[in-house]
Amino acid sequence: MPLPMSKLVALSEGLTGRTLELKVDKTTIGRLEDNSFQIAEPSVSSHHCEVLLKGSDVVIKDLNSTNGTFINGEKITESTLKPGQILRLGNIELRLEADGAASAPAPGSPAAATAAKQKLDQTRVIPRGVKMNEFEQGPSQVKFDKNSGFAKKKDKTNMIFIVVGVVLAVIIIGIMVFAMMKVGAPAE
């Protein structure tokens, strides 16, 4: 019995409807022209991933891409992609469709809920911030360079008030001593 024809269908704006029919055992996807399927998008690595046909399975293998390879929002290094699942490469989303197979998850299924959530969450920030395990470790000690704008400033104002106060105190004491000497001195 022949295997159903599988294809990746681009879902992202600017690529909508573009397809890659999976006819050979190994297909490369990336930004450069030497890939089997070129996606000229800055968030896609030059050689982002491989699509391998292993029997009736479609296996996705990440090629150490910068922004990662995800299946239904889960980061993978190598995993099987099922019909209806979403493959994300950088900012680009593709869905696996197969003739004779359901192209979308059944309504009410966990996969349908995940797909619905992904449609609602269109904002994707590629630069990674704090990872969850770093967040759980608590705040880290931040050290600033002494030459940065955030270095602790020396408190020159307090130092000026202290010096002026000491000088005024010495002058006042000097005037009082001088005045007492005048008052206590015999008249001539």
Side-chain angles (χ1 to χ4, degrees), residues 48-125:
H48 201 101
C49 69
E50 290 178 338
V51 180
L52 307 166
L53 297 181
K54 294 183 178 180
S56 61
D57 289 339
V58 176
V59 177
I60 307 297
K61 181 179 179 184
D62 184 74
L63 298 175
N64 296 320
S65 61
T66 301
N67 289 316
T69 300
F70 298 81
I71 294 178
N72 281 354
E74 296 291 321
K75 188 171 185 172
I76 59 108
T77 52
E78 185 170 333
S79 185
T80 302
L81 182 66
K82 306 269 186 225
Q85 289 186 321
I86 305 296
L87 172 66
R88 180 166 52 93
L89 314 173
N91 286 327
I92 302 302
E93 289 187 340
L94 307 152
R95 181 179 55 234
L96 179 64
E97 294 182 359
D99 292 339
S103 61
S109 71
T114 302
K117 182 180 176 194
Q118 286 178 341
K119 286 182 183 178
L120 292 176
D121 184 20
Q122 292 296 317
T123 304
R124 299 204 188 279
V125 178

Side-chain angles (χ1 to χ4, degrees), residues 112-163:
T114 302
K117 182 180 176 194
Q118 286 178 341
K119 286 182 183 178
L120 292 176
D121 184 20
Q122 292 296 317
T123 304
R124 299 204 188 279
V125 178
I126 294 299
R128 303 297 184 241
V130 177
K131 294 181 180 156
M132 191 59 159
N133 63 347
E134 293 171 351
F135 179 72
E136 291 169 349
Q137 292 172 359
S140 61
Q141 295 296 326
V142 178
K143 295 183 181 180
F144 293 107
D145 180 8
K146 290 182 181 180
N147 297 325
S148 78
F150 295 103
K152 184 177 179 182
K153 303 289 185 200
K154 292 184 179 177
D155 203 352
K156 293 179 182 177
T157 306
N158 283 347
M159 186 60 93
I160 291 171
F161 279 124
I162 292 171
V163 170

